[in-house]
Structure formats: structure tokens, C-alpha cells
Amino acid sequence: MWDTLFINAEVATMRDDEGVPYGLISDAAVAVENGEIAWVGPVVDIAENIADLAREIHDVEGDLLTPGLIDCHTHLVYAGERSGEFEARLLGESYESIARDGGGIRATVEATRAASAEDLFDAAVTRLDDLLSEGVTTVEVKSGYGLDSDTEMKMLHVARALEDERYVRVRTTFLGAHALPPEFDDADAYIDHVCNDMLPAAHAAGLVDSVDGFCETIGFSPAQIEKVLLKAKDLGLPVRLHAEQLSDQGGAKLAAQLGALSVDHLEYLKPEDAAVLAEAGTVATLLPGAFYYLRETKLPPVQALRDAGVDIAVATDCNPGSSPMTSILLAMNMAATLFQLTAEEALAGATRNAAKALGLDDTGEIRIGNRADLCIWDARRPSELVASIGQNPLLVRVFGGDICP
Ligand code: DI6
Ligand code: FE
């Protein structure tokens, strides 16, 4: 007997192996046992006495059921706010010039170093609750606003603690190579410190699921980033990279050649580099919130990514400077309106491909054996999740088989 059975659902499995848009199954049922998906298919395919099949039966009455959403790129843990920089940019200052003058990431580093773990947690959980309210069941959270061992570890501890307080799975990413901290004036010396001290310490504490960096004129050079990513690989950790956000440094290609799980942003990616991502199986994570908020005009080469067969993910990039956004549904809408992803690509970007970006093969699709991370929506068609702005049709979130309160 199954634990739970959802019946009469419009199920967007998000499987792409049968050529059906959204992997859609109408008038479908989904069975859950021991926190996993035990069965999915048309209701007519299950035996007559549905009442005998499961301890709990939920009639979804034709509503949409999807995998739980996955936000695969966030900086959810930070202190302070940067609305003053927003105002300065509206008056014509650039994101780069603010960073070069010691603002930007460094401003958040100062606030984050000064904050207690409790205050960081409270701020992060408020943002997390926004994501959960829209159906997120897995979230990636980066460090990168500490830039010293203690504060990077404080951030990662806080990120992991979110799992204890909410029904959510957290994947942590070490982002020590985010910016040069004020106590260093030599970027190479800082990168050596990251590779020799900070990353090994965070890894030894068991706090790191993957390693990221910021490859940019205001971040680190490809040669510096390569050192960090190679060190991560030495430690057996998967890598990802903020690449080609503000200029083309060749970071995406470098990371893909090192087998990166994902490369993120990519507005300035050369269309011909898409083939390198495809070859490596690296996911292209698009962050339309940052594009929008920085009033960027250079579009990521979506058609080249598509043509090359690169899997595309979509995430919020929730952070205080370039994308203070806590709505995965809005990120999906922006990916469609700003980057011309199809609605199906946008939803795949926050489910199947976001799972791949995190190296997770047990979520992001409704298939037997996957975790029962599910959403039920007050919607009849999956495109409704992408088409609207500021509406939240979530009815029920299911995490590992548990119906969340
Ligand atoms: N790119 C981003 O979008 C975030 N980090 C990065 O390298 C934003 C960082 C910030 O402005 O706080
Ligand atoms: Fe980011």
C-alpha cells in the first residue's frame, strides 16, 4: 500500500525522454511511498479500487502538479542592503565603478562580517520563505560575502542550518573567490590563501557541496579562477562559475573544460563557445534578475545554446547588489520575456535542468524513484506558471513525501 496517492492531476513530469511537451500526463495519478515517487501515470491505468491503494488519497480535481521548483543559484545568506547603490546607478553610476570604489560586494562583506550567525539566519530564512511560498524545494546557497575563513564558514553554517528549520534541501557552494577582501591588495596572494587555507578548511568542516568563483574584470582573472577550480577538483569537489556576466573573459569555456556542473550569467558568452559547454555537459544557468536589475542590454546567446544542445537552467541569483529578487516564478517569467525562452524551457530551467546544474539526479522530474518533491498549483496548464507576474498559484508543496504545512 502506498503512503499517498494524488489523483486527477494534470501532471507536468518535466521528463523529456518521450517528446511530449512538459512530459505532460492528463488525468494522472502520482503515488508516494517512503518519500519517493512510487508510481506515475494515467489514473485509468491503475486498478479499480483506488481507495485500497494508499493510506491517504488527495483528489487534485484537475489542477496542475509539477516537480518541486529548484533555485540553483542564490546568495541567500548576507547582511545589509544596497539601495543606495541602486539609487547611484539610476543617476548614471555603473555597477563596476561602484565596485572599484569599494562598494558593491565589499559593502556586503563588511555588513556580513559584522553580523551574528543568528541575525544572518533570520535574514536568510525570511528570503527563503519567499522562495518556499512559490514552490521551491531545493535551493543552492553560496558563501562569498565573508572572504575570510571564519565568515565564509559562518555563512555556510547558516545556509546548512536552513534545512533544519524548513522543509527544504540546501546545497552549499563555496565562493571565496568572489571579490578581493579589503585586507589584501594582491589578488594572487588572496587566491593562494583561498586555495591553501580557506577552501580546504571549509571542505574539512564538511560545509561545501561545490565551488564557485567570479571571473570578471572586477573579480578574478581566468588564470586565478583556474587555480581555485583545480584545487576544488583536487579535493573532489564539483565546480561552477560566474562567467561572462559583464564582459567576455573566456571563463565559461575554461570552467566547462574543467567539467563544471554549470556556468552562470553568460550575457557576454561568445556563441561559438556554446559547443564547449555542450561537449562538457555543463548547464548554462541564466539569471534574468541580474540582467534586469543592472539594466544590461547584451542578451545571452540563447539560440546558440539551444542549437548546441546545452541544457539551460534559470535561477534568481538572489543577492543584495545585482538581483535582490526572491521570486523563482518571476525569474521564469523574465527568462521568457527578456531572453525569449519558451515557457517549457523556463519551467525546465527551474526543475530538470536546475537539478542537473546541482548534480542532483533524484529531483527535478516526476519519475519513479525520485524524491517526492512536488507542487500542486491552482492552474490547468504549465505555461500559467511562466505567463503571469506577481501572482502565486501555489496550493500545496510536498517535500520528500511530506505535505508542508
Ligand atoms: N555576480 C552576481 O550577480 C553576484 N555575484 C556575482 O559575482 C552579485 C554580487 C553583488 O553585487 O553583491
Ligand atoms: Fe550570483
Side-chain angles (χ1 to χ4, degrees), residues 73 75 142 242 265 287 317 319:
H73 179 143
H75 309 249
K142 302 175 195 296
H242 284 74
H265 285 288
L287 305 168
D317 195 15
N319 77 69

Side-chain angles (χ1 to χ4, degrees), residues 295-343:
R295 306 179 71 240
E296 179 58 68
T297 53
K298 177 93 170 65
L299 288 161
V302 168
Q303 192 56 45
L305 293 168
R306 233 182 234 138
D307 291 345
V310 177
D311 290 321
I312 299 173
V314 174
T316 62
D317 195 15
C318 175
N319 77 69
S322 67
S323 186
M325 172 163 87
T326 53
S327 171
I328 189 71
L329 295 177
L330 181 56
M332 286 157 53
N333 174 273
M334 286 176 164
T337 50
L338 299 174
F339 296 165
Q340 274 188 285
L341 262 59
T342 66

Side-chain angles (χ1 to χ4, degrees), residues 242-260:
H242 284 74
E244 273 69 77
Q245 178 185 9
L246 308 167
S247 63
D248 180 13
Q249 303 286 314
K253 192 172 163 179
L254 167 78
Q257 284 166 340
L258 293 173

Side-chain angles (χ1 to χ4, degrees), residues 236-377:
L237 292 167
V239 300
R240 59 183 71 258
L241 190 64
H242 284 74
E244 273 69 77
Q245 178 185 9
L246 308 167
S247 63
D248 180 13
Q249 303 286 314
K253 192 172 163 179
L254 167 78
Q257 284 166 340
L258 293 173
L261 285 174
S262 73
V263 287
D264 303 40
H265 285 288
L266 304 180
E267 281 83 340
Y268 287 81
L269 180 75
K270 278 193 282 300
E272 57 267 34
D273 284 352
V276 183
L277 275 54
E279 172 80 9
T282 299
V283 174
T285 300
L286 303 183
L287 305 168
F291 173 93
Y292 165 86
Y293 199 66
L294 298 182
R295 306 179 71 240
E296 179 58 68
T297 53
K298 177 93 170 65
L299 288 161
V302 168
Q303 192 56 45
L305 293 168
R306 233 182 234 138
D307 291 345
V310 177
D311 290 321
I312 299 173
V314 174
T316 62
D317 195 15
C318 175
N319 77 69
S322 67
S323 186
M325 172 163 87
T326 53
S327 171
I328 189 71
L329 295 177
L330 181 56
M332 286 157 53
N333 174 273
M334 286 176 164
T337 50
L338 299 174
F339 296 165
Q340 274 188 285
L341 262 59
T342 66
E344 186 183 0
E345 286 170 332
L347 184 54
T351 53
R352 182 179 69 241
N353 292 341
K356 187 176 174 197
L358 296 180
L360 299 174
D361 60 6
D362 63 350
T363 189
E365 293 177 34
I366 297 179
R367 63 164 73 236
I368 292 173
N370 266 16
R371 283 175 56 87
D373 293 342
L374 308 168
C375 292
I376 301 169
W377 307 90

